[in-house]
Amino acid sequence: MTLGESAALPERAAPVRATEAPVVVLVGNPNVGKTSVYNQLTGERAHIGNYPGITVEQRSGRLELGGRGPATLLDLPGTYSLSARSAEEQIALDALLGHAGLPLPALCVVVVDAGQLSRNLYLVLQLLELELPIVVALNMLDEVAHNPPSPADLSRFLGVPVVATDGRRGAGIEELKRVIAERLGKPASSGVAVSYPEALVADADRVVSALPAAWRSTPGRDRALALWALASVEPGDELRDVPAELRERCESVRHAAGARDLDRELIAARYACIDGALERLYARVERHPPKRASSERVDRILLHPILGFAIFLGSMLVVFQALFSWSDPAIKVIERLVAWTGTELTALLPAGVLRDLLVEGVIGGVGNVIVFLPQILLLSLLIGLLEDSGYMARVAFLMDRVLRTLGLHGRAFVPMLSGFACAVPAIMATRTMERQRDRLLTMLVIPLMTCSARLPVYTLIIATLFPPSRVFGWVPLQGLMMVGMYVFAIVTTLVVALVLGRTAVKGRRVPLVLELPPYRLPSLRLTLRNMVERAFVFLKEAGTVILACTIVLWALLAFPRPATAVAPPRPASVAAVHATSAEQHLAAPPVHPTAPEPARAESRIGESYGGRLGKAVEPLFAPLGFDWKIDVGIIGAFAAREVFISTLGLVYGVGDTDDQALPLREKLRQETLGGKPRYTPLVGLSLLLFFALSCQCMSTLAMVRRETRSWRWPAFLFAYMTALAYLVSLLVYQGGRLFGFG
Amino acid sequence: MPTDVRHLSELEVGDVADIEHVGGERSFRRRLMELGLVPGTRVELKAVAPLGDPLELLVRGASLSIRRGDAALVRVRPGVKLTAPELEPATRRRLPIAPVRGAP
């Protein structure tokens, strides 16, 4: 399973639903305020989807154009150039050229940062060469107010309409809409011609005849496509849909060029054209704009070797604290609400399978979903602020040295840190990385972090099976075990990241070229809007999977139903409320209104399909030191890791329980096998390692499925983590026994 | 600045230089050139990350960060840092290749 393979997925559903409305695409470099222009143009209506099979998100919305009728506005991934290298650039290219089943755009709106004209115009030139109909939105003029480029001059140079816009405040948006409506359906225009070296033009003309028939149109566009192919196609690239003939032609032309550097000729010619124009456009060229200068002053503090790191650690502490503690009150309210609804419904409805399904399956499942909302909302808010202010790029700058030794991107830091609170929002946070390969790799290691749902399980196992003795006479063993689990998680994450980065997600080596945009005041309105959008996407796409899984788990532990429907025990899945911390878990109210009758429950859960499954897999897990009761607990824990405890509680007939409950601890300690305790510290260690490494969390898998839009990556994640957990637990348990422990 | 500087990675913070040649793997060369680091472009080493890597460059008015190992693949010619008043149009045209750094 390599990245190249995943990029070449055959399923390529057209992301834009077939409508008669013309398609307007929004393109631009990263960090030019494209998203705010998009939001201003579409108002509050936005549809967030994904390009199938890859982690590139696709937004589209309705663009009302007054008398002209509506158009579909498609927001393309930010890109510096069209020489496609990453999945994002390829998507931008496909959408612009109408390849890969995407509709040909009726118009391209290019958002240009007025403070970065030369680099931004590079993309504009490429679009113009491809004879695409273009309107330029000249954005962020407020940052160069002292020496603004004139839209009229720029328009004269490019030969296309240029509208001054302010994406944050909405200025110029109506004018932009008017121009879009006016230009829709009109043929492309261009006033600029890059003068390429003659030899390069001859090379391009030799490539033209190898272009697929479907790509051919006018001579100018054909030549532009040939130049694109010459600059982009190379052995081992990740481009899709490039016919073999075109590949071979590009290779032979490049080979014939000998020592000439075609890339340099092409790129230098474009920049020469831009530089010449800008010199004419500007009365004076300044050293750098004041916005830059003030950013530099801020950077002197934020990137300072000592002060900068202190601020960095402080802000990361805030992010972590927000996820770990500040979301607590909201989570508690949600848990209470779910428990209350369950109780009310139980009282209201007659006993029976329908009531159980509603209360335990549906209400419990909805609870399992919405319990993530506080952390998702908080993390999207914080990431939005970090991103929009420009600080996220500095985090990557500061941490690159550390993370790159693991093959991870500097921007992976915040998502990985979030993984210590909960993997679900953390996986969502991987969007902050530009490259699909970086996102995938980060997503695949985040579930190894010690998330808060593991804490109650660790607490129970350590407190029950390890003696409260002290190491070296003063270090408490139980505390040491807990710290050890964190260290273990960090070390495994590093090792797994190294291994996976060289195997499963082995993308091409792409050198880090990180842009450090000027610091900007984030727009709270846009950030809040993005936060709400994220929450909806989660509810709609991951939520349905989580709900379905909860119902399946409920059924697994509730069926077959006993002949007498007297006080049926509530299976564990309903208790799948998410604990943020051990303390909080303690405080959570009992979800089960009535505790089942102990003896009855024990026999019943053993008879359920889940119980039978636990017994059936007992031989498989016996080498790890687990018996069927633990196996049932592990099955229940798939709803959420801490459900392990309440499932065990049901197995042992102690009713609803938590990690601090003494009856369950006693029962576990009393369990014997051949006169000796059944659960030894060695079994405990094996179980701890199993929980540390296995992906016992359906919500994590649902989130990875949502972010990658395919089942193959969650399947891979589950498979590799379970295999790793099994292997490590097996080695530890069997090795321990060999040395006479347990 | 020492005159024997030949590569971007050898600059010290505050030094300026003109790009002569971008080496390395094709994808790297192309990405860097597409971001405006074509031969003749003036760059300034603005900062070095606290852990010694990556570097922060000022190119065409934008801050770009690349790793030291990659910067070693970029050959440069040491330049003379000009102050703002000197960058009036007349002076600017005398430079080898008109750098539009900072524009606008």
Side-chain angles (χ1 to χ4, degrees), chain A residues 204-216:
Chain A
D205 288 342
R206 284 179 56 206
V207 173
V208 166
S209 59
L211 292 173
W215 293 15
R216 302 284 299 269

Side-chain angles (χ1 to χ4, degrees), chain A residues 625-644:
Chain A
F626 307 164
D627 61 1
W628 73 267
K629 295 172 181 175
I630 291 182
D631 296 343
V632 175
I634 290 174
I635 292 168
F638 196 61
R641 288 181 177 94
E642 72 272 14
V643 176
F644 177 73

Side-chain angles (χ1 to χ4, degrees), chain A residues 230-312:
Chain A
L230 266 181
S232 305
V233 176
E234 68 175 308
D237 61 29
E238 289 166 24
L239 294 171
R240 296 164 291 184
D241 302 330
V242 176
E245 193 195 347
L246 181 57
R247 282 192 178 280
E248 285 160 21
R249 187 68 62 86
C250 288
E251 269 314 296
S252 70
V253 169
R254 292 187 65 83
H255 187 74
R260 282 170 53 216
D261 184 347
L262 301 188
D263 295 334
R264 178 184 159 170
E265 287 179 13
L266 178 71
I267 298 167
R270 286 187 185 139
Y271 268 108
C273 172
I274 294 167
D275 289 348
L278 287 182
E279 213 173 328
R280 273 180 277 119
L281 288 181
Y282 282 104
R284 58 199 168 99
V285 176
E286 284 178 65
R287 197 179 154 264
H288 49 277
K291 180 77 195 170
R292 265 284 149 216
S294 64
S295 269
E296 272 176 36
R297 277 196 295 276
V298 179
D299 269 342
R300 235 166 277 156
I301 299 165
L302 293 186
L303 299 182
H304 187 272
I306 296 157
L307 201 57
F309 259 108
I311 294 171
F312 165 73

Side-chain angles (χ1 to χ4, degrees), chain A residues 249-436:
Chain A
R249 187 68 62 86
C250 288
E251 269 314 296
S252 70
V253 169
R254 292 187 65 83
H255 187 74
R260 282 170 53 216
D261 184 347
L262 301 188
D263 295 334
R264 178 184 159 170
E265 287 179 13
L266 178 71
I267 298 167
R270 286 187 185 139
Y271 268 108
C273 172
I274 294 167
D275 289 348
L278 287 182
E279 213 173 328
R280 273 180 277 119
L281 288 181
Y282 282 104
R284 58 199 168 99
V285 176
E286 284 178 65
R287 197 179 154 264
H288 49 277
K291 180 77 195 170
R292 265 284 149 216
S294 64
S295 269
E296 272 176 36
R297 277 196 295 276
V298 179
D299 269 342
R300 235 166 277 156
I301 299 165
L302 293 186
L303 299 182
H304 187 272
I306 296 157
L307 201 57
F309 259 108
I311 294 171
F312 165 73
L313 288 178
S315 50
M316 291 303 114
L317 195 69
V318 168
V319 171
F320 187 69
Q321 197 61 15
L323 283 189
F324 207 82
S325 307
W326 300 352
S327 57
D328 238 35
I331 290 174
K332 266 184 201 148
V333 167
I334 289 173
E335 284 172 352
R336 273 171 216 275
L337 206 68
V338 170
W340 177 84
T341 314
T343 317
E344 289 297 300
L345 220 62
T346 309
L348 223 70
L349 295 171
V353 68
L354 183 69
R355 183 182 81 177
D356 290 354
L357 171 69
L358 275 180
V359 174
E360 289 147 23
V362 179
I363 304 283
V366 170
N368 279 347
V369 175
I370 58 175
V371 80
F372 288 112
L373 277 182
Q375 287 180 323
I376 287 199
L377 289 170
L378 261 173
L379 189 59
S380 344
L381 176 72
L382 291 170
I383 288 201
L385 295 178
L386 288 173
E387 198 69 76
D388 293 353
S389 63
Y391 190 60
M392 190 67 102
R394 272 76 183 180
V395 169
F397 183 70
L398 288 170
M399 292 309 292
D400 178 71
R401 184 80 188 76
V402 178
L403 287 170
R404 81 148 190 260
T405 50
L406 309 172
L408 286 163
H409 191 278
R411 278 179 187 244
F413 189 82
V414 173
M416 296 202 17
L417 177 78
S418 311
F420 279 104
C422 178
V424 172
I427 286 167
M428 183 203 67
T430 55
R431 298 214 149 267
T432 186
M433 279 170 282
E434 280 153 36
R435 284 188 65 225
Q436 128 123 343

Side-chain angles (χ1 to χ4, degrees), chain A residues 710-735:
Chain A
S710 88
W711 282 109
R712 62 191 285 170
W713 289 111
F716 174 77
L717 176 67
F718 183 73
Y720 104 75
M721 285 184 69
T722 308
L724 189 66
Y726 189 91
L727 211 70
V728 170
S729 290
L730 181 75
L731 282 176
V732 166
Y733 186 69
Q734 293 302 334

Side-chain angles (χ1 to χ4, degrees), chain A residues 413-466:
Chain A
F413 189 82
V414 173
M416 296 202 17
L417 177 78
S418 311
F420 279 104
C422 178
V424 172
I427 286 167
M428 183 203 67
T430 55
R431 298 214 149 267
T432 186
M433 279 170 282
E434 280 153 36
R435 284 188 65 225
Q436 128 123 343
R437 184 233 170 227
D438 297 328
R439 274 199 293 266
L440 259 180
L441 183 57
T442 314
M443 242 179 245
L444 291 178
V445 296
I446 280 176
L448 289 166
M449 303 284 184
T450 308
C451 69
S452 56
R454 283 179 173 103
L455 290 183
V457 179
Y458 290 178
T459 309
L460 174 78
I461 299 172
I462 292 175
T464 308
L465 301 180
F466 289 88

Side-chain angles (χ1 to χ4, degrees), chain A residues 658-676:
Chain A
D658 58 52
D659 55 315
Q660 305 289 316
L662 291 173
L664 181 58
R665 292 186 183 186
E666 282 311 309
K667 289 262 183 191
L668 288 172
R669 285 192 196 119
Q670 282 160 14
E671 190 90 4
T672 54
L673 186 75
K676 282 191 249 167

